[in-house]
Amino acid sequence: MDLGRLEYLQALVTEFQVTESSEAKEQVLANLANFAYDPKNYEYLRQLQVLDLFLDTLTEDNETLVEFAIGGLCNLCLDKTNKDYILEANGVQPIINCLSSSNEETVMSAVTTLMYLTTPQSRPQITALPVVECMLRFSLSTNRRLSNLAVVFLDDYCTPVQVEEARSLSKHTAVGIPLPKD
């Protein structure tokens, strides 16, 4: 059974790499992101370099591909080995870049992934001033899911000093990451 699982996942990865169809790529990536939800698949997904595939896809122009890639990373980073891999592969910055997406699910997954990836070593990058400013804006969103998640980020991952500094800076600037469309 498990050999069949590896072969199936390998077939999905191969299909993603060879297909020219955007629709097929989206469907395959959605499937891989779903498989990333099950810890039984973590080792296979690492073997098949799906973490790299997800990380590489974060820079695509196709918003749907980005949504599924960040969703897959969000599912995978609960595992310590996967988390360490993403951090060592400089995955934090491309994930932070997803905060500026107009796709609500992409933004939600990016915020959640950043929370899961926070370690003493990654905290300075994940709670850098532009990210905290962004979370302050998200906390004011009319979208309850997003505002609640941003409040958790600010309360649980940032120091009061960081939040205050971001608050005072955002009073003086109109520049920033736009809120995702509902």
Side-chain angles (χ1 to χ4, degrees):
M1 162 67 186
D2 276 354
L3 184 62
R5 185 185 298 242
L6 177 62
E7 287 169 350
Y8 182 73
L9 292 169
Q10 174 67 68
L12 284 175
V13 171
T14 302
E15 185 179 345
F16 182 84
Q17 291 166 335
V18 300
T19 188
E20 298 293 319
S21 160
S22 291
E23 253 179 57
K25 273 188 182 303
E26 290 169 8
Q27 194 169 1
V28 168
L29 209 61
N31 282 324
L32 286 170
N34 285 336
F35 280 108
Y37 193 72
D38 186 346
K40 290 180 192 160
N41 297 320
Y42 290 168
E43 182 58 41
Y44 300 127
L45 294 170
R46 281 194 293 270
Q47 229 176 300
L48 297 169
Q49 299 176 318
V50 172
L51 284 97
D52 290 316
L53 186 132
F54 286 154
L55 286 167
D56 292 344
T57 304
L58 293 181
T59 58
E60 290 285 327
D61 290 333
N62 179 327
E63 270 294 331
T64 305
L65 287 178
V66 174
E67 175 187 341
F68 294 143
I70 189 67
L73 286 169
C74 189
N75 287 339
L76 287 168
C77 70
L78 288 169
D79 174 75
K80 185 179 178 349
T81 304
N82 292 337
K83 174 188 209 161
D84 292 344
Y85 185 88
I86 294 165
L87 292 171
E88 287 164 22
N90 298 315
V92 171
Q93 191 56 54
I95 294 165
I96 288 172
N97 294 344
C98 290
L99 295 174
S100 63
S101 172
S102 59
N103 179 316
E104 176 191 329
E105 290 307 316
T106 298
V107 173
M108 297 290 293
S109 291
V111 174
T112 305
T113 303
L114 289 171
M115 293 191 317
Y116 291 155
L117 289 175
T118 301
T119 66
Q121 295 75 29
S122 66
R123 184 177 299 273
Q125 185 182 11
I126 290 174
T127 62
L129 200 53
V131 177
V132 179
E133 282 185 276
C134 177
M135 293 303 160
L136 278 172
R137 274 195 306 285
F138 288 166
S139 73
L140 303 173
S141 171
T142 55
N143 177 325
R144 297 305 305 153
R145 287 174 61 217
L146 181 59
S147 65
N148 289 342
L149 194 58
V151 167
V152 169
F153 185 96
L154 292 166
D155 289 350
D156 293 357
Y157 295 86
C158 303
T159 66
V161 171
Q162 286 176 306
V163 174
E164 205 37 60
E165 186 181 355
R167 233 184 223 116
S168 69
L169 270 178
S170 45
K171 287 178 189 162
H172 305 295
T173 176
V175 182
I177 300 172
L179 290 172
K181 296 174 185 72
D182 289 333

